[in-house]
Structure formats: structure tokens, C-alpha cells
Amino acid sequence: LKWQRGHVPVLHLLQDDGKLRIARVSSLDVVVTLEVAVGSIISFNADCHGKYMCCIRSDGTFEVRDLDAAIAHEQREVEQRERMGVPRHLLRHTLVSQRLPGQGLRMMD
């Protein structure tokens, strides 16, 4: 996914498992998933320009993440998996599992 910081409204979702997902509001496509190596993310705050994310971990420490670098890293991983032969549709992360006529959105796990 192309990242356009400052031009596209995004959702910041902190999951029960301590992962933080950032997704586009218009499509619900996940732009990046942030997680920590030890423990889990229990709180977060983004700067007003959408460049940095401060994540507070369950062990009481905090990390400052550069979102441009995190997104570029995730995009490189997706490109590497594509070169290995993984179909593109399996690499696309979205918050919507399916849209059903007459029903609202069903959210993924």
C-alpha cells in the first residue's frame, strides 16, 4: 500500500493482543501493524503530523517509532514474499472480512 502521510485519514486500533494496527478509513486496508518484541503495547499516541508513534509497553517502557520507516519495512517484507511466490491477495491485510448485502461490515479477528 502506498503511504501518504497527512493526506489520508487513518484509524489507529490497539488490539487485545497488544498489536497496534493503522488502517485507512476509506478502505479499511491495514497500512502497518506495530508490535513489540517483549510484552505488548498498552497505550499509544501519534504526533500531530503522523510521523511518529509513541508506544507504551506492558513492562512500563516506551518506544518511539518512525511510521515512515515502519511502513517501508513492512512493504519490503510484502515485496519479498511476492518474489517468493505468495499470491498478492494473501498478503493484503484488511479489517473487513466481507461485505454482505443488507448487512453492515463484519470485522476480522
Side-chain angles (χ1 to χ4, degrees), residues 75-92:
Q75 286 175 337
R76 283 191 304 271
E77 286 184 354
V78 167
E79 290 167 3
Q80 180 181 11
R81 289 183 185 125
E82 282 180 330
R83 285 192 298 274
M84 293 171 51
V86 177
R88 180 105 176 119
H89 72 278
L90 295 177
L91 298 173
R92 183 173 178 261

Side-chain angles (χ1 to χ4, degrees), residues 25 32 38-39 42 44 47 50 60 62 65 68 73-74 76-78 81 83-84 86 92 97 102 105-107:
V25 171
V32 68
V38 178
I42 59 170
F44 67 93
D47 77 307
F62 72 93
R65 300 278 184 101
D68 291 335
H73 175 75
E74 189 153 314
R76 283 191 304 271
E77 286 184 354
V78 167
R81 289 183 185 125
R83 285 192 298 274
M84 293 171 51
V86 177
R92 183 173 178 261
S97 60
L105 300 176
R106 286 186 37 202
M107 302 304 279

Side-chain angles (χ1 to χ4, degrees), residues 15 37 40 46 53 86 98 102:
Q15 299 178 179
S40 59
M53 180 73 66
V86 177
Q98 56 184 291

